Structures are given as C-alpha cells and as structure tokens.
Amino acid sequence: MSVKGATHQDLTHDSAAKHVTGRADYTDDILEPIGTLHAYLGLSEVAHGRITGMDLSEVLAAPGVVGVLTAADIPGANDISPTGTGDDPVFPAETVEFHGQPLFAVVAKSRDAARRAAARARVEIDPLPHVLDPMGAIEAGYPDVTAPLKLERGEVAAGLAGSAHRIRGRMEIGGQDHMYLEGHIAFAMPGEDEDVVVYSSTQHPSEAQHMVAHVLGVPSHSVVINVRRMGGGFGGKETQMNLFAAVAALAAKKWNRPVKLRPDRDQDMIATGKRHDFVADYEVGFDGEGRIEAVEGLFAARCGFSADLSGPVTDRALFHADNAYFYPHVRLRSRPMKTNTVSNTAFRGFGGPQGVIVAERMIEEIAYALGRDPLEIRKANFYRPGGDVTPYHQVVEDNILERIVGELEASSEYQARRQAILDDNAKGGIIRRGIALTPVKFGISFTATWYNQAGALVHVYNDGSIMLNHGGTEMGQGLNIKVAQVVAEAFAVDIDRVKITRTTTEKVPNTSATAASSGSDLNGMAALDACEQIKARLVDFACEKWGVEATEVEFLPGRVKIGAEEIGFDDFIRQAYVARVQLSAAGFYKTPKIHWDRAKGQGRPFYYFAYGAACSEVSVDTLTGEYRVDRVDILHDVGRSLNPAVDRGQVEGGFIQGVGWLTSEELWWDGDGRLRTHAPSTYKIPLASDRPRIFNVALAEWSQNAERTIKRSKAVGEPPLMLGISVFEAISMAVASVADYRECPRLDAPATPERVLMAIERLRAER
C-alpha cells in the first residue's frame, strides 16, 4: 500500500478537467451582485506631453455613466510603483509619459456603456519630444530609471589586449508580450468602514494589497486580495495588476458598489509592460582553440517611463551573460534607460534570457571565426567542475553541464545529423538546414534577498481531511498540485484528502510574488514546515496516550503505527482532537545561504543553478526567409521532480514560449509612439502548428539537488525558456550556409522571416 499522489509521482494538474471543460472559475466568472458597476480606462493619444485640459463633460453625460475617476479623486497616494520610486501614478496629473497611458476611468452601469463613454473624452496635451528606444535615449541624454549595475572580475583591459583574437559586435534583442489567455481583471467589493475585498488576477497578492491600501490611504489590514487561479501570468501580472486593482477599489469605495475592471485585449497590450528590449554591445577575446580569455559587455534596455522592476531585470541580465561559460576576465554593465513607452516589467526569465543569448552569440562568433563547430567551442568554455567563479563572484558548485550536454549529444545523434546537414547544404539547394545544441545554466532565487520567504497554513480537520493554503498563486503551472503532494506525503494520506484553497491575504500575510521560478521551492517548504509542526504535536500525543517513545510512532499510508499497534488516520486524528491537540499550523520558510551586495557586485544571489540543453534542427527557405522547426531534443534538469508530468509540461511550454520570443513575436511602435502590434491579429505567437515535427523531451532522472530544497527538486518555470535559443542558433547556421559558413550572420531577435531573408541576401551579396 502506498500514498496516492505523493511527491515524485506523475499526477494530473488539479484543475485540468475544469480547464478543458470550462468549469474552472476565473475572476470574470464570479457571479456579479445586483448593482455591479463596470470601469473602463481612457488612454493617452500622445507619447509625451503636458496635460493642459481634460474635458470629461460628454463622458459624464453618456448613457449609463455613473461617474469618472481622475488623479484628483485619489484619497491616498497617487503612486503604484512596486519599488516605491514614486514614478508610476495611477493617473498622471500633469505629464503624459507614453502613448496609451491611462488618464482616467469611466464607471458605468455596463462595460459597453463605460467603453463607449471613454471615447468621448476631450484631452488637450502639449506634445514634448519623445524617445522610444534605448540607444535613442542614451543619445538624447535620458536618465536611467534606476541605478546601473557593474559586475567585474579580473583585468579586462589586459585580458583583451593579450588575446590572440578579438571580436566586437552588437545584438538587438526584442521584447515580448505576455499574451496570457486571461487578461488583466479586478473585481472590487466594498465593505464596511475602510474595508474592501478585491478579486484579482495577480501573481503578487500582497503587493496588490499594499498598493490598493496606499492609493486608498488606509492600512493594509483593510484590504483583502483573493486569487483562485489565473489564466496565465508569465510575469505580466506581478506588478502590472496594481493599476487595475487600485482603480476597481477606488471606484468601489467611492460609489459603495461592486466594480469590475476588465480591459479589451488591445487596451491590455497597449497599457501594460512587456519583456525588456535590449541592445547589447560586446567584445570578446579568445585564443586559437576558442577558449574565452576576456569579455566586456554593455546591456542597454528599453525600460519605459518608470522603474517598475527594471532594476532587478537588468541586473539578472548581467547575472546570466555568462550562461554556461567561464570568463577569466570580465566586465559587464547595465543601462536601464528611460523611454517614452509603457513601463516594461517581469517576464519569464526576468532578464536572464537576454543575457544568455548574448553569451551564445559570442560563442557563435568564435566558432565562425575559427571555422569550428559551435558545440566544440561551448564545451571548451564550460564552467569546470570544482569551483570556477561567476562574474558576480559566486562559486559554481553543482555543475552538471558536461553530463547534461554529453548525454543529449549522444541521444540526439547530434554529430551524425550535423554532418548530414553540412553535406546536404553543400549541394546548394533552396532549402537550407541548420542544427544547434545549446545549454542553459540558470540561477534560482530572487536577487532581492528579502523576497526569498514564504508562508503556508495547514488545517487538519477532525474527520481527517486537510486544508492547504499558501502564499503562492496558481497560473496554470501546477504549483498547487505540487504543494498538495508535499502535504499528502507528509501525512501519508492520499492526495484526495487535501483541499487546495484560493490564495488570500487573509490567511498568509506578506507573501512574495509567485515568480523567479521559486513557487514550489518556497511554498512547498513552508507547507512542509506546517505539516511537521502538526505531526510533532501528534507524535507527542501518541507518546503520552500509548506510553511509547517518539521513535515508535510512524505515519504509514492511511494509518499511524504506534508501537505494535496500528490505527487508521481518521480515528487517530479524531482522538487527537478529543484530547485537545492543536491541528493547525502556520509554516514558514526562508532560503538559506544567499546574500548579495549590489554596490560591490559580489555575493551569492542564487541558492543553486538549474541546467538543461536542447538540440534543434530547422529548415529555411532561402527565397522567402520562412522556416520550420523539424526536430527538437531536450534534456532538462529539475532535480528530483515533484511531479514529472507537470514538469515535462513546463519544459515543453517554456521552450515553445522561448522560440516565440526569438522567431515570431515582434513588438513594433510607430514614430508617434503607438504600439501597432496590439492584438493577436498583428502579434504572432506560436500556434499548435508551429510545434516541432519531432519533439523529444526528457528529464534528467538521475539528478538530485545538492542543496536541501523541497524533496531535492529544482525549479522548472523559467530555465526551459532559454532552450529556445537552440532554434535561433540553428536558423543562424542555415543562413550562414549560403556563404559557406565564413561569417556569423549576426541575426537580431526576433529572427522573423523578413530578418532571415535580409541576412541571406546580405551574405550572398558579400560573397
């Protein structure tokens, strides 16, 4: 007899059936009480300017309108900046900073009425000069939105000067819209006195709570944020939900009625931040064998009009600019530039992917310069087992890169397939093929050390059923089922005994965002701590009642062994209740060992590293620049997986999202600062038809986290996204074949068919 649903078992997502049948309740599915009002945002039509007039009389006169909200209606602070910088107003009072910035909100009896009324506003704005990209911002003397970071180790100038070969280059790396299935939405219910309850699609309930309280001018205890589930988040609902929650709460308290705010998809895309675009300038020095000797890099990012999370995002880009490779001498600098665009924000990988792809570009440059296989150059520069040091002075202690890459190289038959592709391309056909095998090393932990904490609440009821609540949020990634498996295993009961309840600030306070791939690590350990507290009380009870030693009490599947006697779990719990044993506990966990001194650029910001590798093969049409992904093989490290089925799904989804970022998902603003790719009709995400024709995904089942994480597992949310770089590199090889691989094509991302075709034509012209 074993526990059904314990950790390390394949288990279906707890809401899977509800997802596919439409029975899963989201914020928009909550039954609206009689009298519910609806809000809609009015957006700026100018990228930068001074507000000289705002006539909302026709808005107020529109059918069904109850009122409007502007900056003047905010009783507390007009600021929703997550880092307290004061640069992110709910509604601007004087200056517009980007095209699409919310200026006011209409509140009406129906959503349609509010939407139609918002279009009647007459806003007068005196235009000011605007800048839309990071290099333009640098040239115009725009400020950094937050302090830049520098990571340095060794003697970079001497290292470059002493290198046999040096290459300089620039890479432009595009942003990415989150394109969650469920858009932003908030539903506020006014309570008595200062109280308000907000149902929100947010990854960070505690921050939403504090922001709403801040805007209303009330203590945080007066605001409750509830989250049952999200229809995707990917980082886009970590800070960007603050606006929607605050506006809904403002309206609910002003009119003492329930208020719902749900923007259209295009308004959602226009008014909310995205993955940061980067322009990276790099110089790499290397020897005749392709071993890197020195690296210097400058990473300029389009951050938007406010700081938001751009500081930690650009920091993490530098943290991952080494990816899997040791740089003996290195200097990396960030420039988080202010621009007159929407404030960019968290996105799966949180700046890490932008750093990793630059590392891979340098490897690619070296390989083409020396006429070598890029995989050969990669392996020559891997961090070596035994203690190489990163640019931020953390020792890489748990390095399994060589085994991961070696096993994938063999299982994917990389060498034989690469030779076959070289032979096929040599025939000079229209269709050219490419193959690439790329690794990833990704640091796990919030770089803001204080976020590495979590709480959980576990109740064991007197009938033996268990209720679980924790501070993490479920956005489809399987966090709830994983933490429930931890609880089921702790008590040795089947998973159907464990009830997972919505995330709410009423039960677990001061939680961190469900982000940084830390959801299971933090909340799983907090839940386990709560379980262990309850179990310790139960063991003490058994010792006292049955007169045995603690070592003689054992939790077995569905029962408890006490000395020579066995008793059913339900009966045991019932007796403990009658004996007045406390059957509830609040668990807590904080990640050990981590520390970070940003001023020095030194520390141990990451508890451990997660590793992976992908081998991708593509075909490119040299007449059109179009391509398809023919085959992908992935071997990924998740330690001892809490739920292999869920983790494989995360690897597959992360990879595909990474491919979308690097191939088809292109953001484009016109000269007036208007986002023109603002809907699924103009913004192309990967579809089911874009799936690799052959897609082999495996977990490194032999891996076990060297650190004491939850059940020795490793994070899985973000690292797989960077495996999509293998597709980008494979496209590059196919393009390079038209010039006999004599030079690196230097594709910018995303490598759309247009960019691919332009690179092909350029290389052909230079032959």
Side-chain angles (χ1 to χ4, degrees):
M1 183 178 179
S2 61
V3 173
K4 296 178 182 178
T7 60
H8 314 308
Q9 296 180 15
D10 284 336
L11 208 63
T12 303
H13 190 291
D14 56 289
S15 295
K18 296 176 185 176
H19 289 158
V20 299
T21 59
R23 292 186 292 109
D25 285 336
Y26 295 87
T27 302
D28 203 27
D29 297 314
I30 296 171
L31 189 63
E32 297 173 11
I34 295 174
T36 295
L37 301 176
H38 296 263
Y40 198 83
L41 299 174
L43 308 184
S44 167
E45 293 292 328
V46 175
H48 190 203
R50 294 187 182 91
I51 301 172
T52 58
M54 190 181 298
D55 183 357
L56 302 178
S57 57
E58 289 193 26
V59 176
L60 287 165
V65 171
V66 174
V68 296
L69 292 172
T70 67
D73 297 294
I74 296 173
N78 186 13
D79 177 43
I80 48 173
S81 56
T83 52
T85 47
D87 59 357
D88 196 350
V90 179
F91 302 121
E94 298 177 356
T95 305
V96 168
E97 296 279 7
F98 72 97
H99 187 285
Q101 183 170 12
L103 303 180
F104 62 90
V106 185
V107 180
K109 295 178 181 179
S110 71
R111 185 173 177 277
D112 182 64
R115 186 174 185 271
R116 292 177 183 277
R120 297 188 176 195
R122 296 178 180 177
V123 182
E124 296 178 2
I125 301 173
D126 283 346
L128 294 170
H130 62 268
V131 174
L132 304 177
D133 65 275
M135 303 317 293
I138 291 174
E139 292 169 6
Y142 267 45
D144 300 293
V145 294
T146 188
L149 175 67
K150 180 172 74 171
L151 302 180
E152 189 167 12
R153 195 194 65 250
E155 301 294 332
V156 177
L160 288 170
S163 297
H165 305 276
R166 293 169 69 171
I167 292 176
R168 289 183 179 178
R170 168 175 287 185
M171 185 176 191
E172 295 185 8
I173 306 159
Q176 186 177 21
D177 189 86
H178 302 86
M179 195 55 74
Y180 20 65
L181 288 177
E182 175 204 32
H184 284 95
I185 183 168
F187 185 28
M189 303 278 288
E192 62 183 17
D193 302 323
E194 298 174 332
D195 294 354
V196 63
V197 176
V198 182
Y199 296 85
S200 174
S201 186
T202 177
Q203 295 174 234
H204 201 342
S206 286
E207 181 173 285
Q209 174 193 29
H210 300 322
M211 289 298 164
V212 169
H214 191 53
V215 170
L216 292 178
V218 302
S220 291
H221 66 46
S222 297
V223 179
V224 174
I225 305 293
N226 292 327
V227 185
R228 175 58 185 95
R229 60 171 59 84
M230 284 168 279
F234 310 117
K237 296 175 180 175
E238 183 173 345
T239 64
Q240 300 287 294
M241 180 53 70
N242 294 342
L243 169 71
F244 302 92
V247 170
L250 275 169
K253 295 305 289 183
K254 183 176 177 68
W255 285 283
N256 198 33
R257 305 252 303 263
V259 176
K260 180 184 287 187
L261 171 55
R262 176 175 60 83
D264 294 333
R265 174 65 70 175
D266 56 353
Q267 189 176 84
D268 186 309
M269 292 182 72
I270 290 167
T272 63
K274 313 175 188 316
R275 185 187 294 282
H276 290 66
D277 313 63
F278 275 73
V279 177
D281 291 308
Y282 55 88
E283 183 172 9
V284 57
F286 53 98
D287 66 17
E289 296 301 312
R291 284 186 290 267
I292 293 172
E293 296 181 336
V295 167
E296 182 160 24
L298 176 65
F299 291 72
R302 169 166 39 200
C303 297
F305 79 100
S306 70
D308 195 80
L309 296 175
S310 292
V313 166
T314 52
D315 286 1
R316 190 174 276 263
L318 299 194
F319 288 137
H320 290 82
D322 60 337
N323 190 24
Y325 314 114
F326 175 62
Y327 302 156
H329 305 280
V330 58
R331 180 166 56 237
L332 305 169
R333 293 178 295 138
S334 68
R335 288 298 308 273
M337 299 307 302
K338 176 173 180 173
T339 53
N340 295 118
T341 52
V342 64
S343 190
N344 282 331
T345 191
F347 199 124
R348 195 175 193 172
F350 204 76
Q354 295 95 314
V356 169
I357 198 169
V358 174
E360 295 305 325
R361 167 54 52 84
M362 289 190 289
I363 292 291
E364 188 183 28
E365 292 264 31
I366 295 168
Y368 283 109
L370 298 178
R372 306 276 283 277
D373 178 354
L375 180 59
E376 191 179 338
I377 305 302
R378 290 186 171 97
K379 291 194 287 188
N381 286 287
F382 279 164
Y383 277 97
R384 295 161 298 187
D388 278 342
V389 180
T390 66
Y392 43 93
H393 297 255
Q394 177 169 343
V395 177
V396 181
E397 299 172 333
D398 59 352
N399 191 352
I400 56 173
L401 277 166
E402 290 188 357
R403 182 171 180 181
I404 288 277
V405 170
E407 289 190 4
L408 184 65
E409 182 181 1
S411 65
S412 67
E413 300 178 304
Y414 169 82
Q415 295 296 347
R417 289 167 58 203
R418 184 173 191 274
Q419 187 57 55
I421 288 170
L422 290 171
D423 294 343
D424 189 51
N425 287 343
K427 299 174 184 176
I430 292 172
I431 304 299
R432 299 296 178 95
R433 294 159 59 205
I435 190 170
L437 196 160
T438 62
V440 63
K441 172 183 71 65
F442 195 81
I444 303 299
S445 291
F446 286 98
T447 52
T449 305
W450 59 90
Y451 280 142
N452 295 285
Q453 60 175 299
L457 183 64
V458 174
H459 299 325
V460 179
Y461 293 101
N462 63 18
D463 64 351
S465 63
I466 301 168
M467 189 216 74
L468 163 67
N469 189 273
H470 57 81
T473 55
E474 176 63 52
M475 58 192 105
Q477 83 279 37
L479 171 62
N480 280 345
I481 191 63
K482 286 184 173 182
V483 181
Q485 286 177 266
V486 170
V487 172
E489 183 172 289
F491 288 107
V493 299
D494 291 346
I495 192 75
D496 57 10
R497 284 182 178 266
V498 182
K499 174 72 173 180
I500 309 164
T501 59
R502 70 186 181 196
T503 307
T504 176
T505 55
E506 285 184 307
K507 290 184 178 179
V508 180
N510 305 319
T511 57
S512 298
T514 304
S517 305
S518 64
S520 297
D521 279 8
L522 296 177
N523 295 289
M525 289 294 270
L528 182 60
D529 177 54
C531 295
E532 293 301 331
Q533 292 178 49
I534 297 170
K535 286 175 65 179
R537 297 181 200 132
L538 290 170
V539 169
D540 289 344
F541 159 68
C543 291
E544 180 179 349
K545 177 165 180 151
W546 277 272
V548 298
E549 297 296 322
T551 54
E552 298 177 81
V553 181
E554 185 179 0
F555 286 79
L556 300 174
R559 62 201 191 281
V560 181
K561 184 177 181 183
I562 307 169
E565 183 179 349
E566 289 190 8
I567 183 172
F569 182 79
D570 293 356
D571 189 16
F572 179 63
I573 293 299
R574 192 172 297 107
Q575 292 189 47
Y577 162 73
V578 171
R580 296 181 294 180
V581 175
Q582 184 183 0
L583 298 175
S584 174
F588 182 77
Y589 175 74
K590 61 179 181 180
T591 308
K593 295 186 178 182
I594 53 175
H595 56 90
W596 170 240
D597 187 328
R598 192 175 188 274
K600 293 182 178 178
Q602 298 182 17
R604 180 179 175 164
F606 304 122
Y607 189 29
Y608 63 88
F609 296 100
Y611 300 92
C615 177
S616 294
E617 181 180 335
V618 303
S619 297
V620 175
D621 186 328
T622 58
L623 296 181
T624 65
E626 294 176 295
Y627 44 79
R628 74 177 189 187
V629 183
D630 297 315
R631 175 176 168 180
V632 172
D633 296 81
I634 292 174
L635 179 60
H636 197 72
D637 161 40
V638 295
R640 287 202 68 204
S641 174
L642 290 174
N643 185 324
V646 167
D647 284 348
R648 279 192 296 271
Q650 285 291 289
V651 173
E652 293 169 1
F655 171 83
I656 294 296
Q657 193 169 46
V659 173
W661 164 53
L662 293 172
T663 59
S664 66
E665 297 185 45
E666 185 174 29
L667 295 166
W668 187 74
W669 284 262
D670 66 17
D672 293 326
R674 288 181 170 86
L675 179 67
R676 292 302 194 180
T677 49
H678 56 78
S681 58
T682 53
Y683 184 81
K684 186 180 185 301
I685 64 171
L687 305 175
S689 56
D690 296 311
R691 182 182 184 275
R693 272 55 178 176
I694 301 172
F695 198 15
N696 302 316
V697 177
L699 304 179
E701 296 181 356
W702 44 264
S703 177
Q704 177 171 290
N705 201 332
E707 299 294 345
R708 189 177 174 271
T709 55
I710 186 68
K711 305 296 180 180
R712 301 291 181 174
S713 64
K714 285 189 178 183
V716 70
E718 292 170 304
L721 185 135
M722 281 143 282
L723 299 177
I725 294 172
S726 60
V727 170
F728 185 81
E729 296 279 302
I731 292 171
S732 184
M733 177 187 173
V735 171
S737 71
V738 304
D740 298 324
Y741 314 101
R742 287 193 299 269
E743 65 175 284
C744 178
R746 290 191 172 183
L747 289 171
D748 288 328
T752 59
E754 293 87 347
R755 284 199 177 97
V756 170
L757 184 58
M758 290 168 65
I760 289 169
E761 292 180 345
R762 175 178 57 80
L763 290 178
R764 280 178 168 159
E766 293 173 357
R767 280 196 298 183

